[in-house]
Amino acid sequence: MDLIPDPRRAWPAQPGAGAFPLDGETVIEAGPGTEGVARWFRTAVGAATGLPFADDAGVIGADDNRIVLGISPDIARELGPEGYRISVDAAAIRVEGGAAAGVFWGAQTIRQLLGPDAYRRAPLGPAREWSVPMTLIEDAPRFGWRGLMLDVARHFMPKDGVLRYLDLLAAHKLNVFHFHLTDDQGWRVEIKKHPRLTEVGSWRPRTKWGHRASELWEEKPHGGYYTQDDIREIVAYAAERHITVVPEIDIPGHSQAAIAAYPELGNTDVIDTTSLTVWDTWGITANVLAPTDNTLRFYEDVFEELLTLFPSTFIHIGGDECLKDQWKESPAAQARIAGLGLADEDELQSWFIRHFDRWLAERGRRLIGWDEILEGGLAPGAAVSSWRGYAGGITAAKAGHDVVMCPEQQVYLDHRQASGDDEPMPIGYVRTLEDVYRFEPLPPELTEEEAAHVLGTQANVWTEVMQDSSRVDYQVFPRLAAFAEVAWSDLPAPAERDFADFEQRMAEHYRRLDALGVEYRPPGGPLPWQRRPGVQGRPIEGAPPNV
C-alpha cells in the first residue's frame, strides 16, 4: 500500500478483496468528538476529489456508502489515544481512534490510500473515480513527541508558509511544531507591552549570503513578524490538525535583536548597547542579556503575553550558545554572582533559567531548553532538547528529566544531503535519506526506566542559508518522510531496517509531494534552479561523531 509512515499491521479485508468506491453520494457519519476530523476531511479531501461528503444526518439510503468516524475506548486501551483502526469493507470505511487525534491520523492514512491526487487543491477532472482498497489497518505511534523545529528568526517565513508546513507535518503524522521565534537576527512575534521588539527587532538592513565566511551579502532589508492574531490563527490551525505549537523565545543568549530594540537589556557597563543593530550575519554573538531584575521583569512581560497565545504545556526558552565574555567583564554581572553566592558564570546562566522555570511552573507550564541548560545545574521540572548529540539527553534522562532527542549529527536537516559540488550552500555533515531513516532516538545506554523520560524526537531546521520556502523545502524533503517513519513506526535496529522497502514506498510518496507542490531534493540530485553556485557553505567531511 506504500504508506508512510509504515503502519504496525495491515492486511486485506478478505482474500481477493476489491475496493470501496467514493462518489457524490458518500456521506460521513461523525461520532461524538470527531466532528473536527470530518470537517478537515471535507475541506482537504473534498477539495481534491470534488466530492461533498455530506453529513449522514437525514440522508436516506446511505447505509452502504459511508465513512464512519468514531472514538473507541477499546482502541484507547490497546493502542493509546493516537492509535487507530481502519476497516474497509463493501459497506463502509470505518476509522476508529483512541481519541480524536487517532481518528485524524487514520483519516490521513485514508488520504494516502486514495492516491497522490488526493493531495491536490482541486480535482483534475469530473470523470475521475475514487476508491479505497478493502483493508484492515491497526496503527499507533512509537513516540508521543514527533516534532519539527522551524527557525523563522534567521529568515522569516510568512504566515501562509507556516500554515502550509503545518499541513505537511500533519500529512506525515508529526504532532509538534517547535516555533523558533526569536534570535540575534530577528524578533518575530508581536508583544504589545514592548512594541519596539517588532518595530526595531524584526528587521535587519542586509543579510549574509551563504555561510558567515562568505564575502557575499544580500544588500536589502529582511524581516517580518506575526501579529498576535496571526499567532492565534496558526495555533488554531495546528490544533485542528492535532499539532501542538511549542514557541521558543531565546534567553539569555541569541538575544541581540531584543537588545537592539531595548538597549537596557544588554550589558551596558561593558559596551555601548545603543550602537547595536539587529545582527546581519551568522554565528554566535557576544551580545547577551544582562542578568538584571529589569531583564527578568521584561521577559516576564513577554512570557505573560506568550502564554495567552500558546496553550502548549511546554515553553522553550533556548538557553544555548550563551557566551559568557560580557558577564566576565561586567561589574554588575559579577556583583550578581557574588550576591547570589554562585560559583561562576555557568551558575549565573542556571540562575537565569531556574527563575523562568519557577515562573512558568507557577502558571501551570513547563520549561524546555537546549541541552546547555544542564550547565550549572538543571531546574527540577525542566525538560531538555538534546541537540549537541545524545550525551545531554542521556545525562538528563538518567537524572530523571524529560528529553526530546534531536542530535545535530543525525537530524539537523540544514546539513547537506550529499557530498556533490552541486549541493546548494552545503552545511555540515552529509545526512542522506538513508542516514535519517537509520536514526535511532533511544540510546542503548538508557535503562527502561530512564528511556521512559524520552518524550520523543524532533528534526530541526535552521534557516541561515534558507532564504525562502523553496530552500526550506529542498533541505527538509524528502528526509522529513524518513524522520516521520522513525518517529512513528516501531522499526527494528538501525542496521536491520529495510531501506529498500522504504525507497520503494517513497516512489509513491514523491508523487504525493509533487501534488502538494513541495520542492524537494530529487533522488538524482538538485535541479539546476536548486543549485547555488559560488555561494560558500561550511561542509564537514567524514562520518558524524556519535556523541
Side-chain angles (χ1 to χ4, degrees), residues 265-290:
L265 296 174
N267 295 283
T268 57
D269 55 348
V270 176
I271 64 163
D272 177 13
T273 55
T274 63
S275 67
L276 294 178
T277 60
V278 177
W279 214 24
D280 57 12
T281 189
W282 319 123
I284 307 173
T285 176
N287 296 303
V288 302
L289 297 174

Side-chain angles (χ1 to χ4, degrees), residues 115-355:
D117 288 341
Y119 289 82
R120 298 186 180 275
R121 295 190 182 185
L124 298 185
R128 171 67 190 267
E129 295 182 355
W130 298 91
S131 64
V132 176
M134 294 184 187
T135 187
L136 299 170
I137 297 175
E138 284 187 353
D139 200 9
R142 181 185 180 193
F143 292 108
W145 184 302
R146 306 179 304 280
L148 177 75
M149 190 288 303
L150 181 63
D151 166 27
V152 297
R154 271 53 176 269
H155 278 102
F156 179 66
M157 179 177 284
K159 181 192 66 178
D160 284 353
V162 174
L163 299 178
R164 172 176 174 265
Y165 257 81
L166 290 171
D167 280 327
L168 292 172
L169 263 67
H172 292 83
K173 297 186 173 72
L174 298 174
N175 67 344
V176 176
F177 180 63
H178 176 166
F179 206 9
H180 182 80
L181 288 164
T182 73
D183 217 295
D184 301 306
Q185 295 86 1
W187 185 285
R188 306 294 180 213
V189 56
E190 177 188 27
I191 302 297
K192 293 184 182 294
K193 191 168 184 179
H194 300 295
R196 285 176 59 83
L197 286 171
T198 47
E199 291 171 0
V200 174
S202 69
W203 294 91
R204 58 179 181 261
R206 64 175 186 170
T207 299
K208 176 65 71 173
W209 184 239
H211 182 252
R212 63 180 177 273
S214 168
E215 296 181 355
L216 303 176
W217 294 88
E218 189 176 35
E219 296 285 355
K220 65 179 183 181
H222 176 86
Y225 67 92
Y226 310 103
T227 68
Q228 293 199 357
D229 281 345
D230 289 338
I231 294 293
R232 292 184 181 98
E233 180 183 356
I234 289 167
V235 169
Y237 196 85
E240 288 183 348
R241 288 147 184 79
H242 298 275
I243 296 169
T244 299
V245 183
V246 176
E248 179 179 349
I249 302 292
D250 263 303
I251 55 173
H254 287 290
S255 298
Q256 185 165 322
I259 298 169
Y262 292 93
E264 64 272 21
L265 296 174
N267 295 283
T268 57
D269 55 348
V270 176
I271 64 163
D272 177 13
T273 55
T274 63
S275 67
L276 294 178
T277 60
V278 177
W279 214 24
D280 57 12
T281 189
W282 319 123
I284 307 173
T285 176
N287 296 303
V288 302
L289 297 174
T292 65
D293 290 339
N294 174 67
T295 301
L296 297 181
R297 299 293 89 77
F298 183 97
Y299 275 87
E300 286 174 2
D301 292 341
V302 169
F303 285 118
E304 283 280 9
E305 294 193 26
L306 213 68
L307 296 190
T308 69
L309 302 173
F310 294 94
S312 166
T313 298
F314 286 98
I315 303 295
H316 208 292
I317 53 77
D320 62 314
E321 298 178 328
C322 179
L323 298 181
K324 313 296 196 303
D325 299 7
Q326 290 184 358
W327 288 354
K328 291 176 181 177
E329 299 174 19
S330 164
Q334 292 302 309
R336 177 67 88 174
I337 290 172
L340 294 169
L342 304 176
D344 54 23
E345 290 77 18
D346 283 344
E347 287 196 3
L348 183 61
Q349 176 168 337
S350 179
W351 165 82
F352 215 115
I353 301 302
R354 284 172 180 265
H355 174 87

Side-chain angles (χ1 to χ4, degrees), residues 145-152 154 165 169 174 176-180 183 246-248 250 316 318 320-321 368-372 384-390 403-417 427-429 431 436 439 456-466 471-477 479-484 487:
W145 184 302
R146 306 179 304 280
L148 177 75
M149 190 288 303
L150 181 63
D151 166 27
V152 297
R154 271 53 176 269
Y165 257 81
L169 263 67
L174 298 174
V176 176
F177 180 63
H178 176 166
F179 206 9
H180 182 80
D183 217 295
V246 176
E248 179 179 349
D250 263 303
H316 208 292
D320 62 314
E321 298 178 328
I368 185 169
W370 303 111
D371 55 53
E372 284 95 332
V384 170
S385 300
S386 187
W387 78 273
R388 290 181 294 180
Y390 290 99
V403 176
V404 175
M405 285 294 185
C406 48
E408 174 186 13
Q409 302 84 352
Q410 313 297 328
V411 288
Y412 267 35
L413 300 185
D414 40 292
H415 282 220
R416 58 195 173 129
Q417 302 183 65
I427 299 296
Y429 296 101
R431 294 284 83 192
V436 174
F439 163 60
T457 184
Q458 179 173 289
N460 293 341
V461 183
W462 301 102
T463 62
E464 286 93 335
V465 297
M466 300 180 214
R471 281 286 290 124
V472 176
D473 278 7
Y474 180 91
Q475 292 300 134
V476 172
F477 290 99
R479 293 182 295 181
L480 191 69
F483 173 80

